[in-house]
């Protein structure tokens, strides 16, 4: 009774779906995310997109990239955001008021190149050199662990920051509740890898933790500078430190941005309506599915 093949990720999984389609005669489709788009051979990615019945991706930035790669000619490329379960991330009203020192700054990220963590720590070093009292918490792990820990040590930040490694979801939410600011320094990695919209930005904004991030990839589709957060260009720690201080000390800015940021997440990135949007793509694109659904209903 199989009528269609769908694979998540545009590299090996999509290749398996494509070859299975060739062998079986069944149509296939795939979802493209981030690393699988920007580290794939463009020729192979174009071939898969052209042969697929349709493609789903999770940001408008990705969709535009794929359309340009395929000269706008693949069968269909749909943008459906991932979003989060906004019921799990409630607004903490205490975060709206001006925080007291030492400022509690949070980063949740894999310890890999595209997260831009050295820029974050160099920005924190700027705050330290200005005598700003803060405590930074890093949650996550990854292949660049030793590199990041060395950066912390070399900058003399060991007394101001702590690394907790990977933590359960409940622990991460507790740290969101305590944080005055969330910061992430996403950049393009040497191999071309980059983030789409990191889920941690959705989560922190939904919980009332204001965000300082970078103007990269699809992040501006969520974080609109001066409206739902502050964005700086990747790789500029001084600019990031300036934005962090402004977000921590400007009460009017916090009062305006924090509720607007949560509203943006709830309105545009709640995964319940987005799941329905994705289901609508299947209903539209898979004709056989429609016939099966009608038969089962009858």
């Amino acid at each position: 009774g199989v009528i269609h093949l769908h694979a998540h990720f545009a590299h090996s999984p999509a290749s398996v779906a494509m070859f299975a389609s060739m062998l079986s005669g069944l149509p296939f489709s795939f979802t493209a995310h981030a690393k699988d788009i920007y580290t794939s051979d463009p020729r192979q990615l174009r071939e898969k997109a052209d042969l697929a019945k349709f493609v789903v991706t999770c940001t408008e930035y990705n969709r535009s990239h794929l359309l340009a790669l395929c000269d706008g000619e693949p069968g269909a490329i749909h943008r459906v955001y991932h979003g989060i379960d906004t019921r799990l991330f409630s607004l903490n009203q205490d975060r709206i008021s001006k925080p007291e020192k030492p400022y509690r700054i949070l980063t949740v990220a894999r310890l890999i190149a595209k997260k831009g963590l050295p820029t974050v720590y160099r920005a924190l070093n700027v705050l330290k050199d200005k005598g700003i009292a803060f405590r930074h918490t890093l949650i996550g792990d990854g292949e660049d662990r030793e590199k990041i820990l060395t950066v912390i040590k070399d900058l003399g930040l060991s007394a101001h920051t702590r690394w907790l490694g990977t933590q359960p979801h409940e622990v991460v939410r507790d740290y969101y509740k305590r944080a005055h600011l969330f910061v992430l320094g996403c950049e393009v990695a040497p191999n071309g890898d980059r983030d789409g919209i990191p889920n941690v930005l959705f989560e922190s904004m939904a919980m009332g933790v204001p965000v300082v991030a970078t103007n990269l990839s699809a992040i501006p589709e969520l974080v609109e500078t001066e409206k739902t957060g502050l964005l700086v260009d990747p790789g500029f720690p001084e600019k990031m430190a300036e934005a962090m201080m402004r977000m921590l000390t400007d009460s009017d800015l916090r009062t305006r941005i924090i509720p607007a940021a949560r509203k943006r997440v709830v309105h545009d990135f709640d995964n319940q309506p987005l799941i329905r949007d994705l289901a609508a793509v299947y209903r539209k694109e898979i004709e056989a599915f429609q016939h099966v659904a009608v038969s089962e209903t009858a």
Side-chain angles (χ1 to χ4, degrees):
V2 176
I3 58 174
H4 187 87
L5 306 170
H6 186 85
H8 268 273
F9 298 103
H11 41 34
S12 298
S15 296
V16 172
M18 180 179 67
F19 294 133
S21 173
M22 292 175 177
L23 291 169
S24 66
L26 293 171
F28 82 101
S29 54
F30 63 92
T31 296
H33 295 264
K35 180 178 181 180
D36 53 316
I37 298 174
Y38 299 105
T39 62
S40 289
D41 183 319
R43 295 168 300 174
Q44 294 180 357
L45 186 54
R46 183 184 302 113
E47 178 186 23
K48 294 172 194 176
D50 286 342
L51 291 174
K53 172 69 174 173
F54 64 94
V55 178
V56 179
T57 191
C58 50
T59 70
E60 194 60 37
Y61 179 92
N62 286 352
R63 182 174 180 272
S64 297
H65 176 86
L66 291 169
L67 284 171
L69 181 69
C70 303
D71 299 321
E73 296 180 357
I77 298 179
H78 301 272
R79 187 265 292 151
V80 181
Y81 290 116
H82 289 161
I84 60 169
D85 185 347
T86 57
R87 296 167 297 181
L88 295 177
F89 301 93
S90 58
L91 177 64
N92 187 342
Q93 294 288 345
D94 292 342
R95 296 286 77 83
I96 297 178
S97 60
K98 183 177 178 179
E100 297 181 356
K101 298 178 183 179
Y103 300 125
R104 295 191 291 275
I105 304 171
L106 177 65
T107 300
V108 182
R110 283 181 291 155
L111 276 55
I112 56 177
K114 69 179 180 180
K115 300 299 181 179
L117 295 176
T119 297
V120 171
Y121 282 106
R122 292 185 182 107
L124 292 171
N125 191 51
V126 172
L127 301 187
K128 182 198 72 172
D129 289 347
K130 291 183 176 180
I132 306 301
F134 67 87
R135 289 286 294 169
H136 177 260
T137 300
L138 172 63
I139 297 176
D141 205 347
E143 60 193 45
D144 285 354
R145 178 199 310 143
E146 294 306 318
K147 176 182 177 180
I148 299 304
L149 296 180
T150 298
V151 168
I152 294 171
K153 181 180 177 181
D154 290 348
L155 291 173
L157 287 168
S158 298
H160 302 270
T161 189
R162 55 183 169 175
W163 169 62
L164 301 184
T166 303
Q167 294 294 325
H169 201 69
E170 295 75 15
V171 173
V172 176
R173 281 198 300 170
D174 285 342
Y175 274 91
Y176 283 135
K177 292 177 183 178
R178 304 175 202 170
H180 297 132
L181 174 68
F182 187 93
V183 60
L184 195 60
C186 298
E187 60 188 40
V188 178
N191 67 350
D193 189 16
R194 68 204 71 177
D195 271 306
I197 307 176
N199 277 356
V200 291
L201 298 182
F202 296 128
E203 294 170 359
S204 56
M205 290 166 65
M207 295 195 71
V209 186
V211 163
V212 170
T214 48
N215 186 19
L216 180 81
S217 184
I219 292 173
E221 294 174 39
L222 170 67
V223 184
E224 189 175 358
T225 200
E226 300 289 343
K227 294 184 178 180
T228 59
L230 292 178
L231 295 177
V232 299
D233 289 334
F236 288 89
E238 293 82 6
K239 293 292 185 182
M240 178 168 280
E242 180 182 328
M244 290 163 65
M245 276 307 300
R246 186 176 170 214
M247 191 67 86
L248 287 166
T249 60
D250 188 333
S251 297
D252 290 340
L253 181 69
R254 293 176 68 86
T255 301
R256 184 173 75 252
I257 279 182
I258 290 174
R262 174 168 170 81
K263 183 178 180 180
R264 174 69 61 83
V265 173
V266 171
H267 186 269
D268 296 329
F269 300 98
D270 185 321
N271 67 11
Q272 295 305 305
L274 292 172
I275 289 168
R276 292 191 288 272
D277 290 347
L278 183 58
V281 171
Y282 281 97
R283 292 191 186 99
K284 174 186 175 184
E285 295 289 352
I286 306 176
E287 295 177 4
F289 174 80
Q290 298 175 14
H291 298 315
V292 170
V294 169
S295 300
E296 291 178 348
T297 303

